[in-house]
Each structure stands twice: as structure tokens, then as C-alpha cells.
Amino acid sequence: MYQTILLAVDVNDLPESGHVAEAAVRMAREEGATLHVVNVIPGSGMAMVGSFLGPEQANAIKTEARDKLTAWAKEAIPEYLLGKLKVTQGTIYHEIIKAAQELSAEVIVVGAHRPALKDYLVGPNAARVVRHAPQTVLVVR
């Protein structure tokens, strides 16, 4: 049914992503699908903050995130299932949906963080992906 699956993870919270990755790997294995992985570095917000950090710092952050994601993926995802690893920066839910579109993913797998009272059941980024993505979205708790 699915040929391409996108798994969204946070490299700063990889231990929490383990059970989400297990669900995505299981789905990819059962479907015979390729599993792509995306990590989104949150945007710096105000332009003033971004200009203060400078391009060297932004590149260093992205390189570190890519290295962490690559090392984690080698351990968490069988090589025969693994597609592309993507590190991007911006608004988290928007970048996840954009990556899914670019990769022609039929399903997006995201984790739900521990909810605060205001976002009961699903975290704010997962909820936005669910609401705005044209693909099927699997939220793993």
C-alpha cells in the first residue's frame, strides 16, 4: 500500500524517538517501503537572532544535526529500508510536510510528546502535521 514513508525525528530527543522509529520500521518492513528520515532544526525566529548567530554558526548546527541523525539512523533503521536523511531548518510542521511532498511520501510518521493541558492528546507540531498534511499521518505515542 505504501511505497514511501517519512519519519520525522528530533535529534535533540533521540531516545524518545526510539519507539516511533520502531513503529516506522515495522510499517516499512511490512509494506516493502522505503523509509526516509527528516529532522527539523527550529527556525531562529526573529531575523535579528538569525543575523546574530551568523551563517557559520547555522552551518555548524546543521552539520552537527546531520551527523547525529546519520549515526542514529545506522543503529535504528535497517540499511535495506533506509532512504534519504534530510536535515532542514524552519517551522517544524511546515518543513515536515514540505519534505514529505519533495519525497512523494504517502505517509508521515511522527511522535507525540507528552501533552500539556492545552494540547491534550497530541503535541502542537504533530497536531499541525495531522491537520495540514495531505498524506496519511501516523502519530505514535
Side-chain angles (χ1 to χ4, degrees):
M1 186 169 165
Y2 300 121
Q3 296 299 308
T4 307
I5 300 170
L6 178 65
L7 169 62
V9 297
D10 178 356
V11 296
N12 294 315
D13 199 15
L14 289 174
E16 285 294 316
S17 298
H19 69 288
V20 180
E22 287 173 12
V25 165
R26 193 168 40 252
M27 178 186 279
R29 189 177 289 136
E30 290 171 4
E31 298 285 332
T34 300
L35 181 59
H36 301 285
V37 184
V38 65
N39 172 72
V40 181
I41 300 166
S44 57
M46 298 173 14
M48 182 170 45
V49 175
S51 65
F52 176 76
L53 292 176
E56 297 84 21
Q57 183 67 24
N59 286 337
I61 291 168
K62 206 168 187 178
T63 299
E64 180 182 351
R66 187 174 291 113
D67 292 346
K68 282 183 180 179
L69 185 63
T70 301
W72 175 82
K74 281 185 178 183
E75 296 294 320
I77 301 169
E79 189 176 344
Y80 74 95
L81 294 175
L82 187 59
K84 294 181 180 179
L85 298 176
K86 182 176 177 87
V87 174
T88 186
Q89 184 171 14
T91 305
I92 294 171
Y93 78 94
H94 174 73
E95 292 297 322
I96 292 170
I97 294 169
K98 183 177 163 187
Q101 298 292 88
E102 290 172 357
L103 296 165
S104 299
E106 293 116 345
V107 64
I108 301 170
V109 179
V110 295
H113 292 283
R114 291 178 205 97
L117 187 57
K118 68 180 180 177
D119 47 55
Y120 191 69
L121 294 182
V122 181
N125 286 305
R128 288 183 180 123
V129 172
V130 169
R131 279 195 309 271
H132 298 287
Q135 298 87 350
T136 297
V137 179
L138 172 64
V139 180
V140 180
R141 279 201 151 279

